[in-house]
Amino acid sequence: MSEDKSSESVQIPRKELSPREIVAELDKYIVGQKKAKRAVAVALRNRIRRLKLDPEMQEDIAPKNILMIGPTGVGKTEIARRLAKLAGSPFIKVEATKYTEVGYVGRDVESMIRDLMAMGFQMVKQEMQDAVKAEAAKRAEEALLDLLLPGIGKKQEEAKPARRPVVWPVGSFSINPHNGNGSSIMGTAIQVGIPVGHVRKAHEETPKLPEDNESKTTDAVEGGVEAENVEENIHVHDETREKFRAMLREGKLEDKLVELSVSQNPQMPSLGMMGGSMEDLESMISGVIGAAVGGGTEKKKLLPIKRAREILINEESEKLIDRERVTDEARQRVEQTGIVFIDEIDKIAVRSERSGGPDVSREGVQRDILPIVEGATVNTRWGPVNTDHILFIAAGAFNISKPSDLIPELQGRFPLRVELDSLGKEDFLRILTEPKNALTKQYKELLATEGIEIDFKEEAIENLAALAAEVNAHLENIGARRLHTIMEALLEELSFDAPDIAPATIPITIDYVNEKLNDLVKDQDLGRYIL
């Protein structure tokens, strides 16, 4: 297996964006954190550059993994997620605290690669299904017409004239049972006759048949009448089918019920391709039991055409795509462009002044993560996946431990370190207004569905930003997540009453904000209300 094929078939980004363009795209959703954005932009661009090199050089260039250091709620996860979406790469977010050292009950670290491969497989499968969706829709339409007009094909087959003999029997004779050498053979009777065409001609020249046979026609005449009936039936059926096709396309039959056979075949993973984790073992056992109980049968259901069309399109799409090609493409994309975001890595760091207890297990998880990050081959149900060129982004607050508390080998596998800044009032103000998915825009759209139009005044938004910064300063600093709790407290009553007071226009002024939130801020135990 040469590296040429792998690099040719993998396309990392949908567009070859420059680092500056990547940062500009991230700015649409994430406020501030320029250092972190520049670091991930360079890492993504280096992947594009790598794939343009000779295969031999590609193999030697390893991704520069990134360690993000910063408090919660400042955008670490969002940066990684938006980067993966921008690049069209398989992406998975995992938490380091959910893994246990080999030998303990729990998830092993290799499951993160199996999950990433599952994500890549679904991504490629969806892309290939979208590519054949038009053809699948055509086939689904024909299948729906067959369901709406059952039995037409069978009737046409039954209407065909029966096969006639090529000769008309007139007599028989037998072979001499003894040949010239005196040996005996079994006597054979052979029926002889004349061609049917001559018989028909003779019948045409014969006088009128007796009265008891007048109702009968000759085989030749019967065949001609049946052929004409078949052609007429086919024409009528074609016209009916086209009428139903037009009604289908116009949406006039969406609620009509049809009987559809739904496949009940359970997915049975191959024993040789299993990864060895408890999750995979459970999946395999459930697949075997499902096959034994269900037997891979089909179940007939009465469904409206709207739902039946979706099922048929999915089934036809499955038939049109090559699953082996999906698996190969997914594996290559995961190996060359996959991104794994390991959150809460600071929680498995071992502080130097402590030893023993749970710290032993934490250090064991670090040792298990190390070979995955360095480069290893992990068995999955879709085949072995190599992690040499997967980009790993680790993140943690490190408010109790320090990056230096990680084992030295793991520190060395994250050469790029970026510190993310804490968010203040000005950042909150920008978060509430600038991003494409700003919270104020989200709540406007949500309440608009109820007929409520809310108008956020500028001074009210400034007050909300100041309030969030003040609460973070007095309580635990949870970053931008504080805005979610503030906005929910602000609009809780309005959201509850919206169906009863619609339609209405509600201005969100500074007085409205003070009325709803000032009592909470003045209370000493803010955590009771805000968190």
Side-chain angles (χ1 to χ4, degrees):
M1 300 297 291
S2 66
E3 189 74 21
D4 292 342
K5 294 180 182 179
S6 172
S7 59
E8 285 177 5
S9 61
V10 177
Q11 299 177 356
I12 289 189
R14 296 188 177 99
K15 297 179 182 178
E16 289 195 8
L17 299 177
S18 67
R20 195 177 304 278
E21 290 172 330
I22 295 170
V23 171
E25 289 293 324
L26 294 176
D27 284 339
K28 294 179 181 178
Y29 300 95
I30 303 154
V31 170
Q33 313 303 353
K34 292 189 179 296
K35 292 180 182 178
K37 290 175 183 175
R38 288 171 65 93
V40 297
V42 170
L44 180 59
R45 186 66 182 184
N46 279 338
R47 294 187 130 188
I48 301 173
R49 294 165 179 158
R50 172 182 167 270
L51 288 184
K52 294 181 178 179
L53 299 174
D54 294 333
E56 186 176 348
M57 182 64 71
Q58 285 184 25
E59 197 64 29
D60 295 332
I61 297 178
K64 304 302 184 289
N65 299 320
I66 302 170
L67 177 63
M68 293 185 180
I69 305 168
T72 183
V74 296
K76 300 187 295 293
T77 304
E78 190 66 13
I79 288 175
R81 182 179 286 114
R82 292 290 174 183
L83 181 74
K85 190 173 183 180
L86 186 63
S89 302
F91 170 82
I92 188 170
K93 174 186 178 293
V94 299
E95 294 183 7
T97 53
K98 289 187 177 180
Y99 298 103
T100 60
E101 185 180 358
V102 173
Y104 290 84
V105 176
R107 303 197 73 190
D108 63 283
V109 295
E110 288 188 351
S111 64
M112 71 174 69
I113 304 301
R114 289 191 283 271
D115 293 342
L116 182 66
M117 183 61 196
M119 184 70 67
F121 181 85
Q122 290 299 324
M123 178 186 293
V124 175
K125 179 183 174 183
Q126 186 62 49
E127 290 176 4
M128 291 190 177
Q129 285 183 334
D130 291 342
V132 298
K133 194 170 184 179
E135 178 63 25
K138 289 180 182 179
R139 296 190 179 191
E141 183 180 74
E142 296 299 328
L144 283 175
L145 290 171
D146 291 339
L147 293 172
L148 288 168
L149 303 170
I152 284 183
K154 294 180 181 178
K155 289 178 182 177
Q156 290 177 5
E157 286 292 328
E158 293 168 358
K160 290 182 180 180
R163 296 175 65 90
R164 302 295 180 186
V166 295
V167 296
W168 192 276
V170 296
S172 61
F173 68 91
S174 299
I175 299 176
N176 188 345
H178 298 281
N179 60 15
N181 299 327
S183 60
S184 175
I185 62 172
M186 183 179 295
T188 305
I190 300 178
Q191 193 175 58
V192 297
I194 58 176
V196 171
H198 293 286
V199 174
R200 287 176 180 169
K201 186 175 180 181
H203 279 213
E204 290 170 1
E205 296 174 353
T206 55
K208 189 176 180 180
L209 295 172
E211 289 184 1
D212 59 338
N213 289 331
E214 282 183 0
S215 60
K216 298 180 180 178
T217 59
T218 62
D219 291 337
V221 174
E222 287 178 356
V225 172
E226 289 175 357
E228 290 178 3
N229 289 337
V230 169
E231 292 179 1
E232 184 179 350
N233 288 340
I234 292 174
H235 179 68
V236 172
H237 295 155
D238 287 344
E239 284 187 351
T240 306
R241 193 176 182 89
E242 291 307 313
K243 287 179 182 178
F244 273 81
R245 190 190 304 276
M247 294 170 69
L248 268 179
R249 293 178 178 178
E250 292 171 5
K252 295 180 179 179
L253 303 175
E254 293 298 286
D255 296 327
K256 183 175 176 60
L257 295 178
V258 292
E259 189 177 56
L260 182 65
S261 295
V262 181
S263 176
Q264 299 291 317
N265 292 329
Q267 294 293 329
M268 288 182 56
S270 170
L271 287 171
M273 307 306 284
M274 299 303 295
S277 70
M278 289 300 296
E279 295 93 334
D280 287 337
L281 183 59
E282 291 172 3
S283 174
M284 181 186 68
I285 293 173
S286 63
V288 173
I289 294 174
V293 175
T297 58
E298 291 186 347
K299 184 177 181 181
K300 290 186 177 181
K301 292 184 178 181
L302 278 176
L303 299 169
I305 282 182
K306 183 177 181 180
R307 174 60 181 151
R309 183 187 290 108
E310 295 175 2
I311 294 175
L312 289 170
I313 288 177
N314 288 335
E315 289 181 353
E316 295 298 333
S317 298
E318 285 278 356
K319 295 175 186 176
L320 288 169
I321 64 174
D322 182 356
R323 292 185 70 87
E324 289 186 2
R325 185 180 163 218
V326 173
T327 300
D328 292 340
E329 175 69 20
R331 188 186 306 115
Q332 291 169 4
R333 191 175 298 189
V334 165
E335 290 180 346
Q336 303 298 325
T337 75
I339 299 176
V340 176
F341 182 78
I342 307 176
D343 202 5
E344 307 290 351
I345 198 168
D346 58 315
K347 303 300 188 296
I348 62 170
V350 182
R351 283 169 286 175
S352 55
E353 66 271 14
R354 293 183 59 184
S355 61
D359 292 336
V360 176
S361 177
R362 293 173 184 172
E363 187 171 334
V365 174
Q366 292 185 59
R367 287 196 300 268
D368 290 344
I369 290 177
L370 180 61
I372 303 296
V373 178
E374 284 183 335
T377 299
V378 177
N379 289 323
T380 72
R381 68 184 64 183
W382 295 278
V385 174
N386 188 276
T387 67
D388 285 344
H389 300 288
I390 293 176
L391 177 64
F392 290 87
I393 302 176
F398 289 101
N399 50 0
I400 298 176
S401 59
K402 305 183 296 294
S404 58
D405 291 331
L406 297 169
I407 60 175
E409 296 86 352
L410 191 59
Q411 294 181 48
R413 297 306 300 176
F414 290 90
L416 298 181
R417 296 186 184 181
V418 291
E419 293 190 20
L420 286 81
D421 304 320
S422 297
L423 302 177
K425 175 187 172 182
E426 294 302 319
D427 298 310
F428 290 148
L429 182 61
R430 293 179 60 194
I431 291 171
L432 286 171
T433 55
E434 290 184 10
K436 292 179 68 175
N437 59 342
L439 282 178
T440 52
K441 298 175 184 177
Q442 292 180 25
Y443 279 96
K444 278 184 180 181
E445 295 298 328
L446 283 173
L447 289 173
T449 62
E450 300 275 7
I452 301 295
E453 182 182 350
I454 54 176
D455 180 20
F456 285 96
K457 303 300 181 181
E458 185 176 342
E459 62 273 11
I461 297 177
E462 290 182 3
N463 196 19
L464 287 172
L467 189 58
E470 182 180 349
V471 175
N472 272 347
H474 287 84
L475 295 175
E476 187 71 25
N477 185 359
I478 60 173
R481 293 189 176 93
R482 183 70 65 186
L483 293 174
H484 291 274
T485 58
I486 292 286
M487 292 293 289
E488 280 296 321
L490 175 69
L491 299 173
E492 180 183 10
E493 184 178 344
L494 181 58
S495 297
F496 185 85
D497 296 333
D500 302 322
I501 64 176
T505 300
I506 308 295
I508 306 298
T509 63
I510 190 169
D511 293 333
Y512 186 94
V513 173
N514 290 334
E515 177 187 350
K516 300 295 180 184
L517 299 178
N518 262 8
D519 290 342
L520 301 182
V521 175
K522 290 177 182 177
D523 197 292
Q524 293 182 354
D525 188 8
L526 294 176
R528 251 189 331 153
Y529 300 95
I530 299 296
L531 293 180

